[in-house]
Every structure is written in C-alpha cells, then in structure tokens.
Amino acid sequence: MTGQSATMLAAHVHGPGDVRLDPIAIPTPGPGEVVVRVAACGICGSDLGYIAKGSLDGVHPLATPLPIGHEFAGTVVAIGAGVETIAVGSRVAVNPDRGYIGCGGNEGAMASHIRVGPAKLNDTLFLLPDHVTFAHAALAEPLSVALHGLRMARVNPADQVAILGAGPIGLCAVAMLRHMGAQNIAIFDRVDSRLERARALGAHLAVNVTSETLPVALARFHGSGDRFGSPYVGTDVFVDAAGSGAALTEVFTHAKKGARIAVIALHKAPVPFDLFRMMANEITLVGAIADDRPEEFGEALAMIAADAAALAPLISHSYPFDRFAEALTVAADADKAAKVMLTFAGQTA
C-alpha cells in the first residue's frame, strides 16, 4: 500500500456529459473501515445515466463531483482500528449499499483503491473462494439486483416469467431464474445480440419485439384466456428491466388475474396505469431498488462460486482503466455490449 500522500485517478461526474478521471489521494482506513485495492469494476447503466444527466436524478445539480462505480471486487490492503474479522490480503466482493458507494456516497469504485465501511463480513464484505475471479465476483452486484426484484415479486420455480429488456439486468434476471430452477423464462428486446446472450444464459424464449409482439409471443408460450371480455396471457410474473413506459402499459393490458409485476428498471418519465384493470385483475405491482440486500448478495456469490462458467455470456468486454473513455463508449452500445468490466494495473481480474 502506498503512503497517504500518494494519489490515484478516480472517475467523477462533474455535470451533464462531463465525467473526468480526477487525481485524488489514495484513501486510508478510519476506525471500522478497510481499504480495498480494486481489481475489477463493472460499468452499470446507472453509471451511464449519472454521466448523461450530470447528477443522480437529472434534476438536482451536483454540489460536488459525484464518484461512480459500485460493481466491484478486489483485495483488502489496509484495515482500520477495530476491524478484527477481515485480514489484509483477503479477496473480497463488496456490497455497496451501506455507504451508497458509487450511487451518491463519498466513495466510488472506478479507481484503484476504495475505502469501505463499516467493514463487516457477509454485509459489506464477502470473502471469495480462490477459484472465483474478481471479474466474476463483480457480477454479484447486478445479479443481486435482479434477485432482489424476483424476491419482491415472490417468484417460485413453477412460475411462468417474462422479462422486459435483455440489457445487463435483464440478463442477470435470466441467470438468477435459471439458478432458481424456473422452466418457462421468456425475454423480450429489440437487439438480436442481446437476445442471443439471453438464450445462452438459459432463456427458453427470446423474442425481438420488432418481429413478434409481446402478447402474441406470450400467448403462444405461456397460454392465454379471456376475462371480462378482454384477452390475457398466462404469464405469472413480469420483470421490467427495460424502463419502457409503452412496454409496461402493454403488460398491464394483457396481464392475467393475480399476475405480479416487478419494476427494477430506471424509468425516465411517469407512466400512466389502467387502475381499473389493476383492481379488476388483482395485479400486484412492486418496485425493487436493492439498497439493502446482503442476503441476496451472498446468494448471488454462492451461485457464482458454484457455476461461474454459466455466466460467461454476461461479460462482453474487459478494458484496462487507462482505456476508460473507450470502455464507456462500448458500454453504451446496446448491440455490442452486455457487462463491460474495467480492470486495474497490478491486479488479475
């Protein structure tokens, strides 16, 4: 570990479309904290959104530059006073929830080192088995986001599930449903390359909505019926990982009695709902932000440890941190990218 006076480059959002690698001091741990040397950090759609909007919500301007990066794993290189259960040299994945790491907090993981606190095993820090790579471990964050949404919707293996959107979170939902034993997973998108990844991860039906509409495809795959003179599809659970108001409205129009809908996407505008249909068909709508999910984070890591090879389609690109701008450009290309990983010098991702 370099001294306190040493500096590193860290990604900060300064305003709309303005992200910079700023030189800042390498952190040192305070009481109850550790410093992690980052080995791999995924680029999330929310990171791209913060950059585009210039803030967390695009409404309230930043008072200070916003550090980003919250999907990461690395090695503990320093510990603060009072930390007894975690040793220097521990390989860890980090649950970013407690300090809102990379999502409004004071720390961001798009940097070579990051301070993490409180340092608590199986809450903020999760030890990695030797065979789990840092890049795979960094997938625990988006996988647990998807898992949290599935838990909120009370998904069970017998459910027929439809996922809107085959971006990284939609793909993570496929992976977690496969892990749960679901047998009737459908996914919808407009990009064929994303749908190919979904099939490789275990989707049983992957449909480009420019070729076949969602209600037609789901009636064919999950069955259909009629209630109060309106047709419905037999899908038990819908997972919104697309953030499309039109797609969510279409789901409400065709959802059966008792259907559950989980919204884990970031919607950029209000969406009107047919509340009569929601009432008459007893539809359950839940949101899932996944900001308190140590149990799901641990379950995602256990799945990674058991079957990391099955997750290969999730990681489409890996770039060294000194190619940060290129990595962002590729991550924003829906046709090229799934999960894009940043790696750091001196670490094997």
Side-chain angles (χ1 to χ4, degrees):
M1 179 83 177
T2 35
Q4 186 176 8
S5 62
T7 61
M8 63 180 183
L9 294 178
H12 291 87
V13 176
H14 287 256
D18 183 3
V19 60
R20 309 175 198 172
L21 296 181
D22 296 324
I24 65 171
I26 291 177
T28 56
E33 299 175 338
V34 301
V35 171
V36 173
R37 187 174 66 207
V38 180
C41 180
I43 298 175
C44 178
S46 61
D47 296 320
L48 300 175
Y50 300 153
I51 294 168
K53 294 180 292 189
S55 66
L56 291 172
D57 58 8
V59 176
H60 301 90
L62 295 171
T64 58
L66 173 69
I68 55 174
H70 57 275
E71 304 176 357
F72 67 105
T75 304
V76 175
V77 293
I79 59 175
V83 176
E84 298 178 350
T85 58
I86 301 157
V88 169
S90 298
R91 301 172 71 251
V92 295
V94 180
N95 172 8
D97 293 347
R98 296 295 176 240
Y100 291 99
I101 293 172
C103 299
N106 295 324
E107 312 290 339
M110 291 186 186
S112 64
H113 295 76
I114 183 170
R115 179 171 34 234
V116 178
K120 185 177 179 182
L121 278 181
N122 300 322
D123 186 349
T124 54
L125 297 167
F126 291 75
L127 298 177
L128 302 180
D130 291 341
H131 71 279
V132 173
T133 68
F134 289 120
H136 280 132
L139 293 174
E141 199 283 334
L143 286 167
S144 60
V145 168
L147 179 59
H148 184 71
L150 299 176
R151 295 280 188 244
M152 292 291 291
R154 308 188 312 279
V155 172
N156 65 72
D159 283 331
Q160 301 191 120
V161 184
I163 302 165
L164 313 182
I169 295 299
L171 294 176
C172 284
V174 172
M176 296 314 299
L177 284 165
R178 178 190 57 79
H179 168 67
M180 295 167 66
Q183 296 298 314
N184 294 286
I185 307 167
I187 191 166
F188 297 85
D189 204 282
R190 294 176 176 271
V191 180
D192 285 334
S193 59
R194 287 184 163 186
L195 293 168
E196 290 171 8
R197 292 184 185 278
R199 292 187 191 97
L201 285 164
H204 303 99
L205 178 72
V207 175
N208 190 315
V209 293
T210 64
S211 300
E212 184 178 25
T213 66
L214 179 143
V216 169
L218 287 179
R220 171 170 58 84
F221 186 58
H222 287 163
S224 62
D226 184 278
R227 177 174 167 80
F228 299 148
S230 297
Y232 65 80
V233 297
T235 307
D236 299 299
V237 178
F238 296 87
V239 178
D240 175 17
S244 165
L248 192 56
T249 299
E250 187 172 47
V251 164
F252 264 86
T253 302
H254 295 279
K256 71 175 185 177
K257 181 182 180 182
R260 289 105 70 198
I261 303 169
V263 178
I264 57 177
L266 295 173
H267 280 262
K268 299 178 181 178
V271 179
F273 293 125
D274 185 341
L275 293 179
F276 172 80
R277 186 174 295 274
M278 184 177 182
M279 176 276 297
N281 288 339
E282 298 183 345
I283 297 168
T284 299
L285 175 68
V286 297
I289 193 171
D291 65 351
D292 185 14
R293 35 122 191 210
E295 183 176 340
E296 290 112 335
F297 199 95
E299 185 172 344
L301 270 177
M303 188 268 278
I304 292 167
D307 196 11
L311 299 174
L314 268 177
I315 300 176
S316 60
H317 298 79
S318 182
Y319 288 93
F321 191 50
D322 59 12
R323 295 170 64 187
F324 176 71
E326 184 181 354
L328 287 183
T329 299
V330 171
D333 189 328
D335 192 43
K336 289 182 180 179
K339 180 57 61 181
V340 175
M341 286 287 170
L342 295 167
T343 60
F344 294 81
Q347 291 272 60
T348 301

